[in-house]
Amino acid sequence: MSTIAEDEGSAPDTSEQRVTDIIRGAIVRGEYAPNQRLIEADLSDTFGASRATVRTALLELANEGLVERLPNRGSRVRAISVDEAIEILEVRIGVEGLCSAKTAASVTDDEIQEFLRLREDLIDAVADGDLVEYSRLNQRLDERVRVLSRHATAAEVLARLHAQSVRHQFKLSSRPQRAKVSVLEHAAIIDAIVARDPGAAEQAVRAHLLSVIGALREIA
């Protein structure tokens, strides 16, 4: 598992977006636990960033639903139950299916090659047992489908929903047997997109997210 220090790098970028991205990644990976206090002074020291920069980052993450702002008590990691994660996934089925269908309808030849490389990398990561890399590639696939859907409203909604439920999906993807199932589901999504088949892309997303919901219910 990568650590906060590794993400920060040897010459940390103290921009608000960079600090936001680092904290978001740490929350998703479980390096900051649910309900853990996020002390501005400590984060400022960790990242070599100003308190104002850290405060802005925490406000952005609160808007995303990952952080809770406590009156006169600072911030903490928002605890998201399995039941809430399942509700978010149920909403994502429609929005993510729409993005996948839009992507399949407009994908270019160059983008098809990108998706095919990503498909190969996903399969290789699971075959090699590199589940951290597999999780990173999953997030990359989600991001590219959002962007290439060219549907700004759906992409914005989906980015926020994904951030809130991805912690639970990260736990699932770190299980070797689950990864062997989900990689085939991701491959099916890619296959439908590169075939330029919007209906199949939407159905593949639905099948995948219903599978995730089923897996979450098993561990609830």
mmCIF file of all heavy atoms in Angstrom, residues 10-38:
data_model
loop_
_atom_site.group_PDB
_atom_site.id
_atom_site.type_symbol
_atom_site.label_atom_id
_atom_site.label_comp_id
_atom_site.label_asym_id
_atom_site.label_seq_id
_atom_site.Cartn_x
_atom_site.Cartn_y
_atom_site.Cartn_z
ATOM 1 N N SER A 10 9.152 13.905 -2.632
ATOM 2 C CA SER A 10 10.306 14.523 -1.988
ATOM 3 C C SER A 10 10.243 16.034 -2.010
ATOM 4 O O SER A 10 10.856 16.695 -1.192
ATOM 5 C CB SER A 10 11.590 14.043 -2.682
ATOM 6 O OG SER A 10 11.535 14.360 -4.059
ATOM 7 N N ALA A 11 9.506 16.605 -2.967
ATOM 8 C CA ALA A 11 9.382 18.056 -3.037
ATOM 9 C C ALA A 11 7.900 18.386 -3.117
ATOM 10 O O ALA A 11 7.335 18.563 -4.190
ATOM 11 C CB ALA A 11 10.115 18.605 -4.263
ATOM 12 N N PRO A 12 7.214 18.401 -1.950
ATOM 13 C CA PRO A 12 5.766 18.492 -1.955
ATOM 14 C C PRO A 12 5.233 19.754 -2.603
ATOM 15 O O PRO A 12 5.761 20.843 -2.397
ATOM 16 C CB PRO A 12 5.404 18.447 -0.465
ATOM 17 C CG PRO A 12 6.644 18.881 0.253
ATOM 18 C CD PRO A 12 7.768 18.389 -0.581
ATOM 19 N N ASP A 13 4.198 19.578 -3.381
ATOM 20 C CA ASP A 13 3.476 20.681 -3.981
ATOM 21 C C ASP A 13 2.405 21.095 -2.977
ATOM 22 O O ASP A 13 1.563 20.294 -2.617
ATOM 23 C CB ASP A 13 2.835 20.216 -5.290
ATOM 24 C CG ASP A 13 2.009 21.312 -5.946
ATOM 25 O OD1 ASP A 13 1.834 22.394 -5.371
ATOM 26 O OD2 ASP A 13 1.526 21.054 -7.057
ATOM 27 N N THR A 14 2.453 22.323 -2.498
ATOM 28 C CA THR A 14 1.548 22.739 -1.437
ATOM 29 C C THR A 14 0.297 23.421 -1.973
ATOM 30 O O THR A 14 -0.411 24.100 -1.232
ATOM 31 C CB THR A 14 2.273 23.680 -0.455
ATOM 32 O OG1 THR A 14 2.781 24.808 -1.191
ATOM 33 C CG2 THR A 14 3.416 22.969 0.232
ATOM 34 N N SER A 15 0.017 23.300 -3.250
ATOM 35 C CA SER A 15 -1.193 23.905 -3.802
ATOM 36 C C SER A 15 -2.414 23.260 -3.159
ATOM 37 O O SER A 15 -2.381 22.110 -2.700
ATOM 38 C CB SER A 15 -1.246 23.717 -5.314
ATOM 39 O OG SER A 15 -1.457 22.360 -5.639
ATOM 40 N N GLU A 16 -3.518 24.015 -3.147
ATOM 41 C CA GLU A 16 -4.739 23.514 -2.522
ATOM 42 C C GLU A 16 -5.212 22.224 -3.183
ATOM 43 O O GLU A 16 -5.631 21.285 -2.500
ATOM 44 C CB GLU A 16 -5.818 24.592 -2.594
ATOM 45 C CG GLU A 16 -5.506 25.800 -1.723
ATOM 46 C CD GLU A 16 -6.410 26.978 -2.004
ATOM 47 O OE1 GLU A 16 -7.246 26.867 -2.920
ATOM 48 O OE2 GLU A 16 -6.280 28.007 -1.312
ATOM 49 N N GLN A 17 -5.158 22.156 -4.519
ATOM 50 C CA GLN A 17 -5.619 20.961 -5.219
ATOM 51 C C GLN A 17 -4.765 19.758 -4.877
ATOM 52 O O GLN A 17 -5.282 18.647 -4.679
ATOM 53 C CB GLN A 17 -5.622 21.185 -6.736
ATOM 54 C CG GLN A 17 -6.267 20.046 -7.513
ATOM 55 C CD GLN A 17 -7.702 19.815 -7.103
ATOM 56 O OE1 GLN A 17 -8.521 20.723 -7.147
ATOM 57 N NE2 GLN A 17 -8.028 18.587 -6.702
ATOM 58 N N ARG A 18 -3.439 19.964 -4.789
ATOM 59 C CA ARG A 18 -2.536 18.863 -4.470
ATOM 60 C C ARG A 18 -2.804 18.322 -3.067
ATOM 61 O O ARG A 18 -2.903 17.105 -2.866
ATOM 62 C CB ARG A 18 -1.077 19.340 -4.596
ATOM 63 C CG ARG A 18 -0.027 18.327 -4.177
ATOM 64 C CD ARG A 18 -0.074 17.081 -5.037
ATOM 65 N NE ARG A 18 1.022 16.194 -4.733
ATOM 66 C CZ ARG A 18 1.066 14.918 -5.075
ATOM 67 N NH1 ARG A 18 0.076 14.389 -5.745
ATOM 68 N NH2 ARG A 18 2.103 14.168 -4.765
ATOM 69 N N VAL A 19 -2.969 19.214 -2.097
ATOM 70 C CA VAL A 19 -3.239 18.783 -0.727
ATOM 71 C C VAL A 19 -4.590 18.080 -0.657
ATOM 72 O O VAL A 19 -4.740 17.049 0.010
ATOM 73 C CB VAL A 19 -3.177 19.984 0.242
ATOM 74 C CG1 VAL A 19 -3.642 19.574 1.646
ATOM 75 C CG2 VAL A 19 -1.762 20.549 0.307
ATOM 76 N N THR A 20 -5.577 18.614 -1.364
ATOM 77 C CA THR A 20 -6.894 17.966 -1.422
ATOM 78 C C THR A 20 -6.767 16.553 -1.973
ATOM 79 O O THR A 20 -7.340 15.600 -1.418
ATOM 80 C CB THR A 20 -7.861 18.781 -2.301
ATOM 81 O OG1 THR A 20 -7.976 20.108 -1.790
ATOM 82 C CG2 THR A 20 -9.242 18.135 -2.334
ATOM 83 N N ASP A 21 -6.019 16.391 -3.060
ATOM 84 C CA ASP A 21 -5.852 15.080 -3.687
ATOM 85 C C ASP A 21 -5.156 14.093 -2.749
ATOM 86 O O ASP A 21 -5.518 12.909 -2.689
ATOM 87 C CB ASP A 21 -5.060 15.204 -4.988
ATOM 88 C CG ASP A 21 -5.843 15.916 -6.094
ATOM 89 O OD1 ASP A 21 -7.074 16.045 -5.968
ATOM 90 O OD2 ASP A 21 -5.206 16.354 -7.071
ATOM 91 N N ILE A 22 -4.154 14.572 -2.024
ATOM 92 C CA ILE A 22 -3.419 13.690 -1.109
ATOM 93 C C ILE A 22 -4.323 13.201 0.016
ATOM 94 O O ILE A 22 -4.365 12.001 0.333
ATOM 95 C CB ILE A 22 -2.187 14.412 -0.518
ATOM 96 C CG1 ILE A 22 -1.156 14.707 -1.599
ATOM 97 C CG2 ILE A 22 -1.552 13.557 0.583
ATOM 98 C CD1 ILE A 22 -0.013 15.586 -1.134
ATOM 99 N N ILE A 23 -5.064 14.122 0.629
ATOM 100 C CA ILE A 23 -5.930 13.738 1.743
ATOM 101 C C ILE A 23 -7.044 12.823 1.253
ATOM 102 O O ILE A 23 -7.379 11.824 1.897
ATOM 103 C CB ILE A 23 -6.507 14.981 2.440
ATOM 104 C CG1 ILE A 23 -5.384 15.836 3.027
ATOM 105 C CG2 ILE A 23 -7.472 14.568 3.558
ATOM 106 C CD1 ILE A 23 -5.835 17.164 3.599
ATOM 107 N N ARG A 24 -7.617 13.157 0.082
ATOM 108 C CA ARG A 24 -8.671 12.302 -0.483
ATOM 109 C C ARG A 24 -8.150 10.879 -0.687
ATOM 110 O O ARG A 24 -8.800 9.904 -0.333
ATOM 111 C CB ARG A 24 -9.173 12.861 -1.807
ATOM 112 C CG ARG A 24 -10.314 12.022 -2.402
ATOM 113 C CD ARG A 24 -10.642 12.423 -3.841
ATOM 114 N NE ARG A 24 -11.132 13.771 -3.966
ATOM 115 C CZ ARG A 24 -10.433 14.778 -4.514
ATOM 116 N NH1 ARG A 24 -9.188 14.564 -4.976
ATOM 117 N NH2 ARG A 24 -10.952 15.974 -4.615
ATOM 118 N N GLY A 25 -6.969 10.755 -1.289
ATOM 119 C CA GLY A 25 -6.396 9.436 -1.530
ATOM 120 C C GLY A 25 -6.158 8.664 -0.251
ATOM 121 O O GLY A 25 -6.404 7.449 -0.182
ATOM 122 N N ALA A 26 -5.692 9.363 0.794
ATOM 123 C CA ALA A 26 -5.434 8.698 2.074
ATOM 124 C C ALA A 26 -6.733 8.213 2.711
ATOM 125 O O ALA A 26 -6.779 7.131 3.305
ATOM 126 C CB ALA A 26 -4.704 9.659 3.011
ATOM 127 N N ILE A 27 -7.800 8.995 2.583
ATOM 128 C CA ILE A 27 -9.096 8.575 3.124
ATOM 129 C C ILE A 27 -9.603 7.352 2.377
ATOM 130 O O ILE A 27 -10.064 6.375 2.980
ATOM 131 C CB ILE A 27 -10.110 9.737 3.040
ATOM 132 C CG1 ILE A 27 -9.729 10.860 4.009
ATOM 133 C CG2 ILE A 27 -11.527 9.236 3.344
ATOM 134 C CD1 ILE A 27 -10.568 12.116 3.852
ATOM 135 N N VAL A 28 -9.522 7.384 1.046
ATOM 136 C CA VAL A 28 -10.007 6.272 0.224
ATOM 137 C C VAL A 28 -9.272 4.987 0.565
ATOM 138 O O VAL A 28 -9.876 3.908 0.665
ATOM 139 C CB VAL A 28 -9.846 6.613 -1.271
ATOM 140 C CG1 VAL A 28 -10.031 5.366 -2.135
ATOM 141 C CG2 VAL A 28 -10.842 7.695 -1.680
ATOM 142 N N ARG A 29 -7.953 5.074 0.770
ATOM 143 C CA ARG A 29 -7.159 3.883 1.064
ATOM 144 C C ARG A 29 -7.260 3.435 2.519
ATOM 145 O O ARG A 29 -6.725 2.395 2.882
ATOM 146 C CB ARG A 29 -5.691 4.136 0.710
ATOM 147 C CG ARG A 29 -5.415 4.313 -0.768
ATOM 148 C CD ARG A 29 -3.917 4.355 -1.041
ATOM 149 N NE ARG A 29 -3.285 5.474 -0.375
ATOM 150 C CZ ARG A 29 -3.150 6.701 -0.884
ATOM 151 N NH1 ARG A 29 -3.639 6.960 -2.089
ATOM 152 N NH2 ARG A 29 -2.549 7.650 -0.216
ATOM 153 N N GLY A 30 -7.931 4.215 3.351
ATOM 154 C CA GLY A 30 -8.072 3.839 4.752
ATOM 155 C C GLY A 30 -6.923 4.254 5.626
ATOM 156 O O GLY A 30 -6.824 3.823 6.774
ATOM 157 N N GLU A 31 -6.012 5.099 5.115
ATOM 158 C CA GLU A 31 -4.904 5.578 5.935
ATOM 159 C C GLU A 31 -5.388 6.553 7.006
ATOM 160 O O GLU A 31 -4.764 6.699 8.055
ATOM 161 C CB GLU A 31 -3.836 6.215 5.048
ATOM 162 C CG GLU A 31 -3.173 5.189 4.125
ATOM 163 C CD GLU A 31 -2.286 5.819 3.067
ATOM 164 O OE1 GLU A 31 -1.787 6.934 3.290
ATOM 165 O OE2 GLU A 31 -2.104 5.192 2.006
ATOM 166 N N TYR A 32 -6.502 7.215 6.722
ATOM 167 C CA TYR A 32 -7.233 7.957 7.740
ATOM 168 C C TYR A 32 -8.524 7.185 7.983
ATOM 169 O O TYR A 32 -9.306 6.952 7.060
ATOM 170 C CB TYR A 32 -7.559 9.381 7.284
ATOM 171 C CG TYR A 32 -6.358 10.294 7.127
ATOM 172 C CD1 TYR A 32 -6.236 11.112 6.008
ATOM 173 C CD2 TYR A 32 -5.371 10.348 8.102
ATOM 174 C CE1 TYR A 32 -5.145 11.967 5.866
ATOM 175 C CE2 TYR A 32 -4.277 11.192 7.962
ATOM 176 C CZ TYR A 32 -4.173 12.001 6.847
ATOM 177 O OH TYR A 32 -3.100 12.835 6.703
ATOM 178 N N ALA A 33 -8.760 6.780 9.209
ATOM 179 C CA ALA A 33 -9.896 5.920 9.526
ATOM 180 C C ALA A 33 -11.184 6.727 9.670
ATOM 181 O O ALA A 33 -11.145 7.918 9.970
ATOM 182 C CB ALA A 33 -9.617 5.165 10.823
ATOM 183 N N PRO A 34 -12.342 6.073 9.468
ATOM 184 C CA PRO A 34 -13.616 6.752 9.714
ATOM 185 C C PRO A 34 -13.665 7.340 11.119
ATOM 186 O O PRO A 34 -13.234 6.703 12.086
ATOM 187 C CB PRO A 34 -14.645 5.625 9.533
ATOM 188 C CG PRO A 34 -13.985 4.677 8.585
ATOM 189 C CD PRO A 34 -12.533 4.706 8.937
ATOM 190 N N ASN A 35 -14.143 8.571 11.227
ATOM 191 C CA ASN A 35 -14.280 9.331 12.469
ATOM 192 C C ASN A 35 -12.945 9.844 13.023
ATOM 193 O O ASN A 35 -12.927 10.482 14.080
ATOM 194 C CB ASN A 35 -15.000 8.523 13.558
ATOM 195 C CG ASN A 35 -16.440 8.219 13.185
ATOM 196 O OD1 ASN A 35 -17.148 9.080 12.676
ATOM 197 N ND2 ASN A 35 -16.875 6.989 13.421
ATOM 198 N N GLN A 36 -11.846 9.590 12.322
ATOM 199 C CA GLN A 36 -10.556 10.116 12.787
ATOM 200 C C GLN A 36 -10.525 11.630 12.643
ATOM 201 O O GLN A 36 -10.925 12.182 11.610
ATOM 202 C CB GLN A 36 -9.413 9.496 11.989
ATOM 203 C CG GLN A 36 -8.027 9.995 12.410
ATOM 204 C CD GLN A 36 -6.909 9.295 11.670
ATOM 205 O OE1 GLN A 36 -7.098 8.184 11.173
ATOM 206 N NE2 GLN A 36 -5.753 9.916 11.589
ATOM 207 N N ARG A 37 -10.035 12.316 13.684
ATOM 208 C CA ARG A 37 -9.910 13.759 13.625
ATOM 209 C C ARG A 37 -8.816 14.154 12.644
ATOM 210 O O ARG A 37 -7.768 13.510 12.553
ATOM 211 C CB ARG A 37 -9.551 14.315 15.014
ATOM 212 C CG ARG A 37 -10.663 14.228 16.047
ATOM 213 C CD ARG A 37 -11.732 15.276 15.848
ATOM 214 N NE ARG A 37 -11.183 16.635 15.872
ATOM 215 C CZ ARG A 37 -10.872 17.304 16.989
ATOM 216 N NH1 ARG A 37 -11.049 16.729 18.173
ATOM 217 N NH2 ARG A 37 -10.406 18.535 16.916
ATOM 218 N N LEU A 38 -9.060 15.206 11.903
ATOM 219 C CA LEU A 38 -8.090 15.746 10.954
ATOM 220 C C LEU A 38 -7.663 17.113 11.474
ATOM 221 O O LEU A 38 -8.384 18.105 11.319
ATOM 222 C CB LEU A 38 -8.711 15.846 9.559
ATOM 223 C CG LEU A 38 -9.160 14.515 8.938
ATOM 224 C CD1 LEU A 38 -9.972 14.762 7.676
ATOM 225 C CD2 LEU A 38 -7.963 13.621 8.640
#
